[in-house]
Amino acid sequence: MANKIDSEYRFSPPRKTKQNAVLSPNNQPDCAQAFMEHAATAPLPDAFLHFLESNGIDPSIYTSIDSTPRYIRLKPGFEDCIQEIQSETKCKPEKLDWLLGFYTLPPHIQIASTKVYQQGKIYGIDASSGAAVMALGIEPGDHVLDLCAAPGAKLCMILDLLGDSGSVTGVDAARHRLAACRTMLQKYKLGDRCRLFVADGTTFSVIPEGFRSDSESCESGLEERMDVFKEWTSRRPWKERKRAKKCSTPQVVSKSHPPELIYYGRHSGVIGLTKKELYKTVTENEIASYGYDKVLVDAECTHDGSVKHIQKFEHWGWVTLQRRVLDAERTDSLHTLQLSFLFNPHIPWVSHYS
């Protein structure tokens, strides 16, 4: 519902005005003066303009809508569908030279209704997300942990890079978002080497797949071995559904909530395990042998660096900007959360952290 602030600050291309740069004695532009000239033409609320000024950010980048393209990534094996994309969108995708498999489209193009997207031939994913995955330096056979996996675009890219080797463990505290991630895995047929846990990433400690000795398995009691994970199915037993309904499981779990496995593929190392074996903990001396090779942490942030995210406040209402982006208390809490992910003492990992 539109309010007064909404009507005052609508996104539109900045007015083209003839501006003269103010030079300081050493012939360098006066940054403060240049900022004020940009701010005068930017359709942004004063609170956000003050925030940008204090951080030395040019406000024009948030109002130049045409400067931010839409990015897509081709699923490996469908590199020949460029003509199909061009036919459906009426635009020729431009290859992104510095990021393998990525292309750009004009920002107004909607891909959700195209057949190439619906058939799982392309992904909608920002280049920044793709760059974060590439920075991991994923190699065949790696066991990768994605601590903030939902909604799943980066998780799918990791699985595409791994191919028929290694494994990926996706974790997210938001059940509904991780369920969307599960749907994405099934759409792109990438779930064989993946498992998904609803859990708090700051305390998550489940080891990668494949680290269970045969002797350990044989030592388990016969009754315990009967309670093993069978092939995953979306149809849960009636007793389990009834129990879940009675417990009214929260959508966002807390630190004290134990990890809950909501999806696992045929080659994810889960089938045949008991719950005790799946949630086995390791000692510090064992981490070098049992740990993850790569860990990706795309933690919650303020989003003030995302042009497209800030532009959404035109529709959400600018009054929410102060609460969701500029509030100092929230910013501090996010900083604490990010550090908690990075310094989680329970994660068994042996190589790179990105």
Side-chain angles (χ1 to χ4, degrees), residues 114-172:
T114 62
K115 289 182 179 179
V116 284
Y117 178 76
Q118 294 171 354
Q119 293 171 355
K121 297 178 180 179
I122 64 172
Y123 299 86
I125 176 175
D126 284 336
S128 57
S129 296
V133 172
M134 293 305 295
L136 285 172
I138 292 173
E139 299 174 356
D142 276 346
H143 296 293
V144 184
L145 173 63
D146 187 349
L147 270 185
C148 305
K154 290 186 292 295
L155 190 84
C156 288
M157 184 173 175
I158 293 171
L159 285 161
D160 276 332
L161 290 172
L162 283 175
D164 296 326
S165 66
S167 70
V168 179
T169 298
V171 177
D172 206 280

Side-chain angles (χ1 to χ4, degrees), residues 175 236-250 260:
R175 180 182 306 278
R236 295 182 297 172
W238 176 80
K239 286 185 178 179
E240 186 179 331
R241 295 200 309 270
K242 184 178 180 180
R243 186 166 58 248
K245 186 176 181 181
K246 188 178 293 186
C247 294
S248 61
T249 313
E260 178 189 354

Side-chain angles (χ1 to χ4, degrees), residues 85-143:
I85 298 172
Q86 184 173 350
S87 175
E88 286 200 73
T89 63
K90 310 303 180 187
C91 294
K92 182 180 179 181
E94 297 294 333
K95 189 174 183 179
L96 203 60
D97 292 332
W98 59 275
L99 201 53
L100 183 66
F102 277 71
Y103 289 78
T104 64
L105 289 169
H108 68 276
I109 297 297
Q110 301 295 321
I111 64 170
S113 60
T114 62
K115 289 182 179 179
V116 284
Y117 178 76
Q118 294 171 354
Q119 293 171 355
K121 297 178 180 179
I122 64 172
Y123 299 86
I125 176 175
D126 284 336
S128 57
S129 296
V133 172
M134 293 305 295
L136 285 172
I138 292 173
E139 299 174 356
D142 276 346
H143 296 293

